[in-house]
Amino acid sequence: MNQVDYLRISLIDRCNFRCLYCMPEGTDLEYALQQNLLTHAELLTLINEVFVPVGFTRFRLTGGEPLIRPGVVDIVRAIAALPETQDLSMTTNGFLLADLAQELYDAGLRRINISLDSLEPETFDKIIGHRGRSRWQQVWDGIQAAYRVGFNPLKLNVVVIPGVNDQEVLDLAALSLDREWHIRFIEFMPIGNASLFGDRGWIASEELRQQIRDRWGLTEGEVRGNGPADVFRIPGAKGTLGFISQMSECFCDRCNRMRLSADGWLRPCLLNEDEQIDLKTALRSGVPTAQLRAQVRKLLQLKPEINFKQRDSGTQSGAYSRTMSQIGG
């Protein structure tokens, strides 16, 4: 496995969208109370005294929706200012981004991923559970603002759902032709929502690549950056196409990440929740950070075993207790 040096940090488990694949309609979600979320100071203590000393140097801020976390710009500034921080990025739905893009950039954020599952407002609103209010334009305005500010790379995440937005694959791929935008097609993961789209809610990445290959051609793939995407390019395009194929093409052998939930649980593998560590409770109970470092080091040693032999079992009960939004996946 690659060195595990990349931490995804969920700032909040709440979101201003309710996307089908993340928070399925009818799901009775239990959000963490404000007092149960890691405070700004606790998060920085864990980063400075636990994660950085054991080798984490790359951080991604997620949610829920990270931009609804109070003080998000201050958190970005604090992490970006750490001398050990080699990379700081964020994943957002973009709804609040138009007003915050410049502040985030000035605070030190340079890379951003924005969810854009459809170019058709009606389809987009269906996916995000808009509840009568269209939000596509405000997200598109956020994408344009991030582009103007200078975020590079600017990545657009697309979860492809059969019968919902799969007919837009070529239109979404075409966004990479004239702009230095990086479109990432993501296979739907049945975590906490296994029955949402029937027996198979995902489309294999190779099927999507073949559509694009038939239309424009496609370069050979390569792995780039800190993540699991296989990266391709339409010949002559300014941007790239990434494919995250966690269902059809296991990439455990190059995983370099762990996840910290908004309420302080460290999860070594997105598909396994049995080996988590409750860092927040330990920290508030006065457990020395040196002891927490030792626990995280032990979990790092176990990660290859978890990735290769336990990812398919995932849970003892056979069902995940948290949805994607609650994990910060």
Side-chain angles (χ1 to χ4, degrees), residues 32-44:
L33 298 175
Q34 181 68 34
Q35 61 265 33
N36 290 333
L37 299 179
L38 286 169
T39 66
H40 186 154
E42 288 170 339
L43 176 57
L44 291 178

Side-chain angles (χ1 to χ4, degrees), residues 163-273:
V164 179
N165 63 347
D166 54 324
Q167 76 283 358
E168 294 187 65
V169 168
L170 294 180
D171 292 335
L172 288 158
L175 293 176
S176 71
L177 292 173
D178 301 321
R179 308 172 182 89
E180 196 176 344
W181 289 3
H182 307 274
I183 316 304
R184 290 155 40 106
F185 295 103
I186 303 172
E187 292 177 357
F188 163 73
M189 294 186 72
I191 292 181
N193 51 11
S195 62
L196 185 59
F197 298 117
D199 292 336
R200 180 178 166 189
W202 48 275
I203 299 177
S205 292
E206 179 54 30
E207 294 181 34
L208 306 184
R209 288 194 292 266
Q210 192 58 52
Q211 287 187 46
I212 298 166
R213 196 177 287 119
D214 291 344
R215 173 65 177 84
W216 292 290
L218 204 59
T219 64
E220 289 301 312
E222 58 181 298
V223 178
R224 298 179 184 172
N226 306 319
D230 291 302
V231 180
F232 296 73
R233 188 187 297 268
I234 296 171
K238 293 183 178 179
T240 64
L241 303 177
F243 298 85
I244 300 180
S245 316
Q246 59 272 29
M247 301 304 292
S248 67
E249 302 166 14
C250 177
F251 45 71
C252 288
D253 61 323
R254 65 177 192 258
C255 181
N256 63 344
R257 63 192 57 197
M258 288 190 180
R259 289 168 169 79
L260 181 67
S261 70
D263 57 352
W265 285 86
L266 181 64
R267 188 180 183 117
C269 171
L270 180 58
L271 291 172
N272 186 286
E273 64 182 15

Side-chain angles (χ1 to χ4, degrees), residues 1 15 18 24 83 93 129 166 168 197 203 242 254 283 290 297 304:
M1 285 183 59
C15 187
R18 196 180 178 96
N93 61 32
D166 54 324
E168 294 187 65
F197 298 117
I203 299 177
R254 65 177 192 258
L283 191 64
R297 282 197 179 99

Side-chain angles (χ1 to χ4, degrees), residues 140-179:
W140 186 251
D141 291 345
I143 293 170
Q144 299 294 335
Y147 185 51
R148 288 194 303 271
V149 164
F151 282 100
N152 185 24
L154 177 68
K155 296 181 180 180
L156 303 183
N157 291 347
V158 182
V159 177
V160 182
I161 307 169
V164 179
N165 63 347
D166 54 324
Q167 76 283 358
E168 294 187 65
V169 168
L170 294 180
D171 292 335
L172 288 158
L175 293 176
S176 71
L177 292 173
D178 301 321
R179 308 172 182 89

Side-chain angles (χ1 to χ4, degrees), residues 53-127:
V54 302
F56 287 92
T57 59
R58 307 173 189 276
F59 306 98
R60 175 174 292 276
L61 304 178
T62 69
E65 170 48 45
L67 294 185
I68 67 175
R69 167 73 184 245
V72 62
V73 174
D74 294 332
I75 294 172
V76 167
R77 185 178 294 109
I79 299 175
L82 296 175
E84 297 88 356
T85 298
Q86 295 183 12
D87 183 71
L88 177 61
S89 55
M90 176 182 287
T91 297
T92 171
N93 61 32
F95 185 67
L96 300 175
L97 188 56
D99 292 334
L100 287 172
Q102 188 67 59
E103 288 185 67
L104 291 166
Y105 191 87
D106 292 344
L109 191 69
R110 289 294 179 271
R111 300 199 305 112
I112 199 162
N113 291 35
I114 306 166
S115 297
L116 184 70
D117 295 314
S118 177
L119 293 173
E120 299 174 2
E122 185 175 341
T123 301
F124 179 85
D125 293 334
K126 176 184 176 181
I127 292 172

